[in-house]
Amino acid sequence: MKIQFTELGYQKEAIESIVQVFEGQEIRQSNFTITDNDRQGKLLSEYGIGNRLTVSLEKVLKNVQQIQVANGAPLSDQLSLPYPQFNIDMETGTGKTFVYLKSIIELNRRYGFSKFVIVVPSVAIREGVMKTYEMTKDIFRPLIHDKSYRVFQYDSSKLNEVKQFAQSDGIEVMIMNIQAFNSKVEGRKGAKNIIYRDDIEEMQGIRPMDLVAQTNPLVIIDEPQSVDNTKNAQEALQELNPLAAFRFSATHKNKSYPLLYRLGPVEAYEQEL
């Protein structure tokens, strides 16, 4: 038995609001390599593939303002620093995981973005994202044609998957618990996360985080009120070197970021959701 998905109108609106942020972007990826001049040394002399933003931040802001006008959201006069972050307000049970997984496919299809990191606050939510991926991957398959499409959970004991994330030319989506990379410095309260270590034999002196950061990923933050609610967590997210971040929640605590789309309890009730 397979569950059948019907993409609902409000989900299409949310996806389109996210994708339109980069209107004007050229389809382009960037190649990178860690050279002899970097302290980590060479990465097997092989190139990795990352996202590259070709549209200006001024254009991104104009796009955001147009989206906000269309959706009746408060108008923003600036983007966040050091990287743009956007709020998407979706009531619990309305399919936000489906929305951001479909948004990933559309961002690749329209602009060529291929590296994505989904940050979650708990194992339960991480498992839920993987379950939704398994249920939807065949639905998305016709949209990506012959491209590879991989969603995987970061595991510090399987760092070859991080290498594949960096080097693959397909759609790569890594799901990470914030706890896996919010401890950069070794101290009395715990050891430094493996992702920041440069003494792992299979990585040949390269910090796994450096590989992720070089890809300039688009970051999805699921339940940000539980993900980046500490200074360490906020700094850890910056270590990912995001191209931009999209924050999905029904209960945003930090409302300073531009709001792209809102489906709150009133809207959900009016649509009989």
Side-chain angles (χ1 to χ4, degrees), residues 18-19 21-22 50-53 80 82-88 96-97 99-101 103-105 107-108 113-121 129 165 171-178 181 195-196 209 211-224 227-228 233-249 252 257-258 260:
I18 292 164
V19 174
V21 166
F22 302 109
N51 299 327
R52 178 185 296 175
L53 188 66
S80 59
Y83 57 93
Q85 298 194 60
F86 308 100
N87 283 348
I88 296 91
K96 65 179 172 64
T97 307
V99 165
Y100 64 64
L101 288 176
S103 297
I104 285 171
I105 300 298
L107 286 165
N108 175 266
F113 295 133
S114 62
K115 301 302 167 69
F116 302 85
V117 176
I118 300 172
V119 184
V120 300
V129 176
F165 174 85
I171 304 170
E172 290 284 325
V173 185
M174 181 164 58
I175 310 172
M176 305 183 74
N177 285 58
I178 186 62
F181 67 106
I195 199 167
Y196 294 111
M209 179 58 85
L211 286 183
V212 177
Q214 288 278 1
T215 69
N216 209 199
L218 281 165
V219 175
I220 307 290
I221 305 176
D222 196 329
E223 304 294 346
V227 168
D228 66 350
Q234 293 163 9
E235 291 176 351
L237 289 169
Q238 289 187 34
E239 288 284 340
L240 293 172
N241 190 30
L243 185 77
F246 296 93
R247 307 160 61 86
F248 284 78
S249 179
H252 287 284
Y257 300 111
L260 295 180

Side-chain angles (χ1 to χ4, degrees), residues 48-105:
I49 296 174
N51 299 327
R52 178 185 296 175
L53 188 66
T54 61
V55 66
S56 70
L57 291 180
E58 289 78 12
K59 171 60 173 170
V60 170
L61 178 58
K62 288 181 179 178
N63 291 342
V64 168
Q65 291 170 338
Q66 290 176 350
I67 294 164
Q68 291 171 329
V69 169
N71 291 339
L75 207 61
S76 300
D77 59 4
Q78 61 183 4
L79 299 176
S80 59
L81 295 174
Y83 57 93
Q85 298 194 60
F86 308 100
N87 283 348
I88 296 91
D89 192 341
M90 294 191 69
E91 186 68 6
T92 301
T94 56
K96 65 179 172 64
T97 307
F98 174 85
V99 165
Y100 64 64
L101 288 176
K102 177 67 180 297
S103 297
I104 285 171
I105 300 298

Side-chain angles (χ1 to χ4, degrees), residues 11 24 47 92 105 122 148 169-170 205-206 215 217 224 231 233 237 240 272:
Q11 293 174 333
Y47 285 92
T92 301
I105 300 298
S122 67
S148 64
D169 62 356
I206 304 166
T215 69
K231 184 179 179 181
L237 289 169
L240 293 172
E272 300 181 349

Side-chain angles (χ1 to χ4, degrees), residues 98-237:
F98 174 85
V99 165
Y100 64 64
L101 288 176
K102 177 67 180 297
S103 297
I104 285 171
I105 300 298
E106 286 298 317
L107 286 165
N108 175 266
R109 190 175 69 85
R110 297 196 199 182
Y111 308 123
F113 295 133
S114 62
K115 301 302 167 69
F116 302 85
V117 176
I118 300 172
V119 184
V120 300
S122 67
V123 172
I125 293 179
R126 185 186 70 194
E127 294 296 333
V129 176
M130 283 300 299
K131 183 66 175 177
T132 302
Y133 161 66
E134 292 294 338
M135 293 165 60
T136 58
K137 61 182 179 180
D138 289 339
I139 298 169
F140 296 154
R141 183 63 57 188
L143 300 176
I144 62 176
H145 303 294
D146 58 347
K147 294 179 184 177
S148 64
Y149 169 46
R150 185 175 72 121
V151 177
F152 69 99
Q153 302 179 58
Y154 168 78
D155 185 337
S156 61
S157 68
K158 300 177 180 178
L159 294 178
N160 278 331
E161 291 194 331
V162 178
K163 285 184 180 180
Q164 182 178 343
F165 174 85
Q167 296 171 1
S168 169
D169 62 356
I171 304 170
E172 290 284 325
V173 185
M174 181 164 58
I175 310 172
M176 305 183 74
N177 285 58
I178 186 62
Q179 295 84 359
F181 67 106
N182 67 350
S183 180
K184 185 177 179 182
V185 180
E186 192 168 345
R188 290 179 298 173
K189 294 185 177 181
K192 178 166 56 175
N193 289 136
I194 287 176
I195 199 167
Y196 294 111
R197 289 174 51 182
D198 59 6
D199 58 349
I200 302 166
E201 184 176 352
E202 65 182 293
M203 296 300 294
Q204 299 178 318
I206 304 166
R207 299 192 318 165
M209 179 58 85
D210 290 334
L211 286 183
V212 177
Q214 288 278 1
T215 69
N216 209 199
L218 281 165
V219 175
I220 307 290
I221 305 176
D222 196 329
E223 304 294 346
Q225 71 278 3
S226 300
V227 168
D228 66 350
N229 54 357
T230 68
K231 184 179 179 181
N232 279 354
Q234 293 163 9
E235 291 176 351
L237 289 169

Side-chain angles (χ1 to χ4, degrees), residues 5-23:
F5 279 83
T6 300
E7 190 174 314
L8 303 176
Y10 70 87
Q11 293 174 333
K12 291 180 180 179
E13 291 173 2
I15 293 165
E16 194 62 25
S17 297
I18 292 164
V19 174
Q20 286 180 357
V21 166
F22 302 109
E23 192 70 37

